[in-house]
């Protein structure tokens, strides 16, 4: 990629940190990499401070590796554990406040459209379950009502992890968490259904237990958001620290949830989005 | 839409021949936005802001603005405006009282992100008790958000300060949000003579490359902006980084003085500079004070008037100089808190000279007679004190 953003000004090569130079030489920009290439290039996430075994870390790593055009993707995050990762992510990314991510993304996407009318600039929101389903739900849904051309990814760890493990709207009924001392009194919110009803052209629920599924969902979501309408992905990303399980149990826990039927991988594609995916497939075959 | 030519700001603001119009303050807002080459405006209705943003919506329909929408609430408006500005757009919005408070969390974010956003505030009372009447208590709540704050007296000021607001906000050594405030209804819903620059001229487009911070567009280097989260680390390095960022915001506001002086012809304006009694006011309290001056002069009393145009940065030095000789300083204002009185007291030596009154709130207009009475009452008190009574 020889856009100026991926170049170091002459004379500054030695001043830039080694891992930045590595990004310039071996980053994924413009290379069309996917999760299958992980390990063979310099990833977008530098070392991060999340806990060992954190489901969020797995989801973020895979989601970023699945972006169809990282070289033209801007990420909008929100407050929460994930906001500790994004300063180390080599994509332009915005973190302003807790819950306002979809409103920020709406303005951003429109401004980028005005400034770069002939170029696709993908805007992807990546935020926690509290940010998405509780404090920011209003703005998340309104961005869907307005059919903003953005992708919204929820990192669902079923709690407010960053503030010490409180109940969120995505926690399951009965779970004892901080601020739910006798167990949560109402069921987990079904945001995929809300997303469909609110106008999303593509909705998926999956997890880092299925990297290929996750990759497919992210690619579809980003491409559909460009051409058809808003898209939503929910990634179950368990939190070992607040749910008190061992770091190596994160993926087995997801699989156990699938077995029990307390978590299902889902995908919804609107008719228009399906026609669009078919047209991409046609074009690829030619 | 008539085709507009790009004009040098100096020409558009100061040199181009102006024509007289007779319009409301809300119309003056739209006339400013029309000439400001705005990329995007976002609005949420609230009295007394709505008329202005209806007219700004019409500018979008006529092709003067490239994108416009009605958002879901004021917090979301200010967040989306923030996003659009981070993406490199020139943006405008406006709100009033409860809308300002609803959006409160976003204002320090604008300043912290060093964004040249221009926002108009058509000030009104905040609940409870509910009020849609003019009052500017919200200004007192915004004093330390990091935004520059200009207080317009009338439609002319409102128009000029919005247009000039973009010019000052976008200076590379400033790059801060500018709030342009008026006392709702008094200045928004009354017609006044406003001198307008030609409608076929507009400001040059905003160039995000002039920003002191990178634009979030995956075009502006560097591709990775930071290396460590400043957040949640209590150590010397992140503390220093965070603190120096804040210092730079304050320093940028200081640097704006030079540009504001040039654009506004001074951060304050003095009438009857030699008088021993000075009124210090901002917004429509200035107009009411002019009337009080007239009444007092008819009684043979010479009183001076200082109109503060820039609340942030506050013209401490100019104010101290302009009041140095004064024995009595009266600060009338449209709110119960008396924030302007506090600002004035904090800026002056011997601030027992300052009477922070009258304060009018709840939606009444300020009777000039009340300013006169306040002055006379204070003089009486002073005489008694001097006589040791
Ligand atoms: C307006 C506001 N309210 C509350 C907080 C405190 N807060 C910070 S992070 C957080 C929880 C985040 O939860 P979630 O979005 O699920 O992200 P997680 O940390 O679980 O990944 C809360 C409540 C805040 N930063 N801002
Ligand atoms: S608290 Fe939970 S969600 Fe947050 S970083 Fe640790 S494991 Fe991840
Ligand atoms: Mg969470």
């Amino acid at each position: 990629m020889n856009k100026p953003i991926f170049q170091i000004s002459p004379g500054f090569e030695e001043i830039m940190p080694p891992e930045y130079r590595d990004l310039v030489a071996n980053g994924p920009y413009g290379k069309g990499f996917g999760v299958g290439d992980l390990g063979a290039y310099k990833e977008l996430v530098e070392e991060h401070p999340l806990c060992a075994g954190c489901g969020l870390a797995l989801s973020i790593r895979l989601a970023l590796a699945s972006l169809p055009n990282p070289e033209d993707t801007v990420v909008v995050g929100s407050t929460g554990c994930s906001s500790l990762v994004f300063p180390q992510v080599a994509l332009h990314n915005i973190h302003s406040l807790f819950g306002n991510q979809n409103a920020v993304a709406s303005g951003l996407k429109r401004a980028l459209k005005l400034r770069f009318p002939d170029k696709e600039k993908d805007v992807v929101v990546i935020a926690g379950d509290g940010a998405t389903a509780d404090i920011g739900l209003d703005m998340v849904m309104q961005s869907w009502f307005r059919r903003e051309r953005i992708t919204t990814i929820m990192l669902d760890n079923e709690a407010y992890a960053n503030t010490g493990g409180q109940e969120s709207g995505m926690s399951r009924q009965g779970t004892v968490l901080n601020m739910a001392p006798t167990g949560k009194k109402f069921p987990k919110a079904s945001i995929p259904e809300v997303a469909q009803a609110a106008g999303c052209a593509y909705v998926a629920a999956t997890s880092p237990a299925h990297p290929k599924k996750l990759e497919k969902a992210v690619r579809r979501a980003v491409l559909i958001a460009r051409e058809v309408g808003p898209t939503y992905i929910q990634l179950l990303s368990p939190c070992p620290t607040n749910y008190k399980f061992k770091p190596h149990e994160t993926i087995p826990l997801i699989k156990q949830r699938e077995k029990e039927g307390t978590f299902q991988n889902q995908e919804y594609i609107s008719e228009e989005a399906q026609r669009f995916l078919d047209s991409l497939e046609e074009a690829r075959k030619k | 839409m008539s085709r507009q030519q790009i004009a040098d700001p100096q020409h558009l603001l100061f040199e181009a021949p102006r024509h007289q119009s007779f319009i409301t303050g809300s119309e003056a807002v739209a006339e400013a936005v029309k000439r400001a080459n705005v990329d995007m405006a976002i609005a949420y209705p609230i009295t007394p802001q709505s008329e202005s943003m209806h007219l700004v919506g019409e500018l979008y329909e006529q092709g003067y603005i490239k994108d416009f929408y009605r958002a879901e609430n004021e917090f979301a408006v200010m967040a989306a405006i923030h996003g659009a500005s981070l993406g490199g757009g020139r943006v405008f919005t406006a709100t009033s009282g409860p809308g300002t408070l609803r959006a409160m969390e976003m204002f320090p974010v604008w300043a912290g992100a060093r964004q040249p956003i221009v926002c108009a505030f058509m000030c009104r009372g905040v609940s409870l008790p509910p009020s849609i009447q003019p009052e500017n208590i919200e200004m007192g709540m915004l004093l330390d958000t990091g935004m520059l704050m200009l207080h317009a007296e009338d439609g002319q000021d409102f128009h000029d300060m919005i247009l000039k607001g973009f010019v000052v906000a976008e200076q590379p050594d400033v790059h801060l949000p500018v709030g342009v405030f008026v006392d709702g209804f008094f200045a928004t819903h009354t017609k006044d003579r406003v001198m307008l620059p030609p409608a076929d001229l507009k400001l040059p487009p905003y160039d995000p490359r002039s920003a002191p911070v990178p634009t979030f567009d995956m075009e502006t280097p560097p591709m990775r902006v930071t290396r460590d989260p400043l957040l949640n680390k209590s150590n010397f390095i992140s503390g220093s980084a965070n603190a120096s960022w804040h210092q730079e915001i304050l320093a940028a506001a200081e640097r704006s003085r030079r540009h504001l002086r040039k654009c506004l012809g001074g951060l304050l304006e003095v009438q009857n500079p030699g008088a021993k009694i000075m009124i210090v006011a901002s917004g429509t309290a200035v107009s009411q004070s002019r009337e009080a001056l007239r009444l007092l002069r008819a009684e043979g009393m010479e009183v001076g008037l200082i109109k503060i145009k820039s609340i942030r940065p506050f013209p401490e030095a100019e104010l101290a100089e302009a009041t140095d000789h004064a024995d009595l300083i009266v600060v009338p204002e449209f709110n119960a808190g008396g924030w302007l009185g506090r600002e004035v007291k904090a800026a002056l030596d011997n601030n027992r000279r300052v009477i922070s009154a009258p304060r009018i709130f709840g939606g009444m207009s300020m009777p000039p007679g009340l300013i006169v009475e306040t002055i006379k009452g204070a003089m009486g008190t002073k005489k008694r004190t001097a006589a040791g009574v």
Side-chain angles (χ1 to χ4, degrees):
Chain A
M1 265 267 128
N2 55 5
K3 276 205 294 191
I5 185 174
F6 303 117
Q7 292 161 8
I8 294 176
S9 299
F12 283 81
E13 293 88 350
E14 307 220 326
I15 295 170
M16 296 307 283
E19 81 282 355
Y20 194 94
R21 279 181 269 149
D22 198 5
L23 274 168
V24 173
N26 306 309
Y29 313 106
K31 304 219 176 101
F33 287 159
V35 296
D37 302 297
L38 279 170
Y41 67 92
K42 174 68 183 166
E43 287 180 49
L44 295 171
V45 196
E46 193 54 38
E47 56 195 36
H48 61 77
L50 302 194
C51 310
C54 173
L56 258 50
L58 304 176
S59 287
I60 292 170
R61 184 179 184 213
L62 293 171
L64 293 178
S66 307
L67 294 171
N69 276 52
E71 59 279 6
D72 281 306
T73 302
V74 183
V75 174
V76 181
S78 196
T79 314
C81 286
S82 59
S83 58
L84 300 178
V85 180
F86 281 106
Q88 267 101 288
V89 170
L91 292 179
H92 282 180
N93 60 86
I94 296 167
H95 167 220
S96 74
L97 289 173
F98 187 36
N100 68 356
Q101 61 280 353
N102 282 58
V104 173
S106 301
L108 175 72
K109 176 70 190 188
R110 287 164 181 256
L112 294 177
K113 191 91 204 154
L114 293 178
R115 287 187 57 227
F116 306 97
D118 306 320
K119 207 171 190 178
E120 276 306 337
K121 291 279 179 187
D122 299 323
V123 172
V124 178
V125 174
I126 304 181
D129 51 308
T132 309
D134 288 343
I135 196 167
L137 182 62
D138 167 7
M139 285 163 278
V140 169
M141 281 179 65
Q142 294 277 351
S143 74
W144 295 339
F145 293 161
R146 286 195 305 269
R147 305 296 192 266
E148 302 285 351
R149 297 294 182 84
I150 56 183
T151 295
T152 304
I153 301 179
M154 179 208 280
L155 302 168
D156 181 15
N157 55 13
E158 305 187 318
Y160 294 137
N162 196 239
T163 35
Q166 296 86 5
E167 168 195 292
S168 86
M170 299 300 287
S171 309
R172 287 192 293 152
Q173 187 157 12
T175 312
V176 173
L177 287 153
N178 286 325
M179 299 193 188
T182 58
K184 192 185 177 205
K185 301 244 160 59
F186 60 100
K188 183 177 172 87
S190 180
I191 306 298
E193 281 175 85
V194 171
Q196 267 186 57
C200 283
Y202 178 85
V203 178
T206 184
S207 77
H210 306 283
K212 279 287 173 190
K213 260 200 188 100
L214 192 156
E215 175 183 53
K216 195 156 113 192
V218 171
R219 287 195 176 226
R220 287 182 160 177
V222 172
L223 296 176
I224 290 170
R226 278 183 202 167
E227 297 292 332
V228 188
T231 57
Y232 174 64
I233 302 176
Q234 185 169 308
L235 299 175
L236 182 63
S237 312
C239 163
T241 302
N242 286 299
Y243 274 86
K244 302 184 174 56
F245 57 88
K246 297 206 175 69
H248 63 268
E249 291 168 356
T250 308
I251 297 294
L253 187 93
I254 298 173
K255 297 207 162 141
Q256 186 196 324
R257 292 277 298 271
E258 287 174 354
K259 222 188 223 159
E260 292 168 5
T262 55
F263 174 71
Q264 279 139 10
N265 292 277
Q266 305 171 33
E267 187 173 51
Y268 157 81
I269 309 177
S270 75
E271 281 174 28
E272 198 188 347
Q274 188 58 59
R275 278 196 297 276
F276 168 67
L277 290 179
D278 294 344
S279 73
L280 287 185
E281 191 55 24
E282 285 288 302
R284 201 181 58 85
K285 278 190 194 140
K286 275 185 197 150
Chain B
M1 172 195 163
S2 61
R3 272 184 63 82
Q4 285 179 302
Q5 302 280 327
I6 288 178
D8 181 70
Q10 171 74 20
H11 178 72
L12 178 62
L13 298 179
F14 301 109
E15 294 159 5
R18 294 197 172 204
H19 68 276
Q20 186 178 304
S21 63
F22 187 59
I23 55 176
T24 63
S26 307
E27 288 166 330
V29 172
E31 293 297 339
V33 173
K34 185 194 251 181
R35 291 159 177 80
N37 204 351
V38 167
D39 293 307
M40 198 169 159
I42 305 174
Y44 190 82
I46 183 164
T47 304
Q49 162 262 40
S50 303
E51 275 82 345
S52 316
M53 292 312 281
H54 296 173
L55 295 169
V56 170
E58 284 171 23
L59 292 178
Y60 164 64
E61 193 266 331
Q62 294 157 5
Y64 287 97
I65 296 179
K66 301 189 198 84
D67 200 356
F68 175 87
Y69 71 95
R70 187 252 344 130
E72 57 270 48
N73 62 57
E74 290 84 355
F75 176 62
V77 169
M78 304 311 166
I81 280 285
H82 164 68
S85 170
L86 289 174
R90 180 182 286 156
V91 294
F92 177 77
T93 187
T95 189
S96 298
T100 304
L101 299 203
R102 183 66 55 104
M104 197 69 177
E105 199 186 0
M106 279 309 303
F107 300 124
V109 171
W110 289 357
R114 300 298 302 277
Q115 300 187 275
I117 294 166
V118 174
C119 181
F121 295 85
M122 291 71 168
C123 301
R124 70 172 249 197
V126 298
S127 297
L128 279 170
S131 162
I132 61 162
Q133 301 301 333
E135 246 190 59
N136 57 36
I137 191 69
E138 66 201 88
M139 294 182 70
M141 300 175 183
L142 292 171
L143 291 172
D144 297 308
T145 50
M147 77 165 87
L148 307 184
M149 298 173 65
L150 309 179
H151 201 174
E153 177 185 350
D154 51 20
Q156 185 72 58
D157 268 2
F158 207 16
H159 170 275
D160 291 355
M161 285 174 170
I162 289 172
L163 207 45
K164 291 169 178 176
F166 283 106
V167 174
V168 173
E170 291 171 11
Q171 295 296 323
D173 64 344
V174 178
H175 236 266
L176 285 176
V178 171
V180 182
F181 297 77
V182 283
D183 304 329
F185 289 108
F186 296 143
T188 53
H189 286 58
T190 50
K191 282 199 173 194
D192 202 354
R193 279 187 296 262
V194 178
M195 298 299 290
L196 297 175
D200 58 353
L201 296 183
K202 61 178 175 182
L203 290 177
Y206 172 56
D207 181 0
R209 285 170 306 178
S210 67
V213 287
T215 309
F216 291 78
D217 55 6
M218 280 310 273
E219 302 289 335
T220 316
M223 60 213 179
R224 195 186 72 205
V225 180
T226 51
R227 173 62 181 81
D228 265 314
L230 299 184
L231 196 76
N232 295 10
K233 280 200 179 174
S234 175
N235 63 31
F236 182 73
I237 301 271
S238 66
S240 305
N242 204 310
S244 61
W245 190 273
H246 278 282
Q247 282 169 352
E248 176 50 17
I249 296 168
L250 298 171
E254 282 303 307
R255 293 192 295 263
S256 75
R257 289 179 192 270
R258 182 165 66 90
H259 304 288
L260 286 169
R261 268 185 212 116
K262 192 171 150 222
C263 274
L264 303 179
L267 276 60
L268 52 72
E269 218 171 81
V270 191
Q271 192 178 331
N272 292 352
K276 293 277 181 205
I277 301 168
M278 298 299 283
I279 300 174
V280 179
S282 65
T284 54
V286 176
S287 312
Q288 301 307 91
S289 300
R290 290 189 209 285
E291 190 56 18
L293 248 57
R294 202 182 55 81
L295 295 174
L296 287 160
R297 177 167 294 161
E299 294 182 30
M301 277 173 72
E302 270 313 310
V303 175
L305 172 61
I306 299 170
K307 166 178 171 175
I308 312 259
K309 294 188 271 191
S310 172
I311 305 297
R312 283 290 179 272
F314 195 71
E316 292 92 352
E318 293 95 322
L319 186 65
E321 199 191 317
T323 54
D324 201 33
H325 62 286
D327 297 328
L328 176 65
I329 299 158
V330 170
V331 188
E333 53 188 309
F334 273 113
N335 65 81
W339 57 263
L340 184 61
R342 283 200 296 272
E343 290 291 309
V344 172
K345 281 184 184 166
L348 301 184
D349 285 342
N350 184 12
N351 65 13
R352 291 197 183 175
R353 294 177 295 162
V354 180
I355 306 291
S356 182
R359 293 182 198 169
I360 299 294
F361 42 92
M364 275 284 295
S365 60
M366 185 182 297
L370 199 55
I371 303 174
V372 169
E373 273 173 38
T374 306
I375 290 174
K376 287 185 179 168
M379 284 169 67
T381 318
K382 264 195 189 311
K383 275 198 197 113
R384 279 199 301 281
T385 319
V389 186

